[in-house]
Amino acid sequence: MSGSDDMKHILVTGAVGQIGSELTMELRKLHGNENVVAMGRKTKPSDLLGNSGPFEFGDVVDKSSLERIVKDHDIDTIYHMAAILSGDGEKNPQLAYNVNMNGLYNVLELAREKEMTRVMVPSSIAAFGPTTPKENTPQETILKPTTMYGLTKVAGELLADYYFKRFQVDVRGLRYPGIISSETLPGGGTTDYAVEIFYEAIKNKKYNCFVREDTVLPMMYMPDCINATIDLMNADVNKLVHHSDFNLGALSFSAGQLAAEIRKHIPEFTVTYEPDFRQAIADSWPRTIDDSAARAEWGWKPTYGLEKMTVDMIEKLSKKLL
Ligand code: AKB
């Protein structure tokens, strides 16, 4: 089945988070506000998110709360965005294991039991590790991450593919790079510096960066992230060779290059570098990504480069913060 006609009632877990909040609003535009249920655990949704369509509090690790929401809203499609990211995962590995593994298991089991149309299960560049080739990281490569987050992402990819083959649950997933956005701040990740730097540049004209100046990581601007997520969910399943583990590339730059790009617009902006525990995480991840499988199988193509993304971020955040 291809297209989105068979996805009628959608649930977004982690809907108050960085990607979930913007994804929910885009899905509401596409499918109708009342057909897209946003779910969060504790954080109060923004007025926009909370008032534009249904919102439910629930916890992905509690299968009964998830089941109630699925039943009440007749859910046939889940975008499972709830996760503990790399930095927070190292602070509390037990929590990361519980949310990322048991939460995913509950979502996949519900999808199997209710014979759902489709499930989106995000993976990440965190699935790679220090022994993975760092440049042009191939689709098929060594997956030996050294973080709890990364470990749950590898297991999640395998579990999702298992559900596709064994139970015919149509699960799809992408290895997200760091996501840069102006709407909702990321929380608990290693790539968060690439968002924080914009806020601080605009508000205070200075930023103390928690990774080294020469740290290069794969990144992506939110509009590309949303398009990729929705396009993969709408892709013709018959054309997909991969399912839950698509490499996704867009931008790759060092912290220093990003600072220099911002300085073109805010000349007085200064950055100091004080690497913390997240430096080791960043050093274990790729620098650039080979996303030819995503391009060939469902037509992935990013639209934002470093310059265009920086202009848009500064424009949007200046309106919001100044
Ligand atoms: C993180 O930094 O943990 C996330 C990711 C790359 O998955 N943004």
Side-chain angles (χ1 to χ4, degrees), residues 85-87 123-126 149 176-179 188-192 285:
L85 301 186
S86 57
S123 185
S124 157
I125 52 164
Y149 174 59
Y176 287 129
I179 305 299
T190 300
T191 57
D192 295 10
W285 289 351

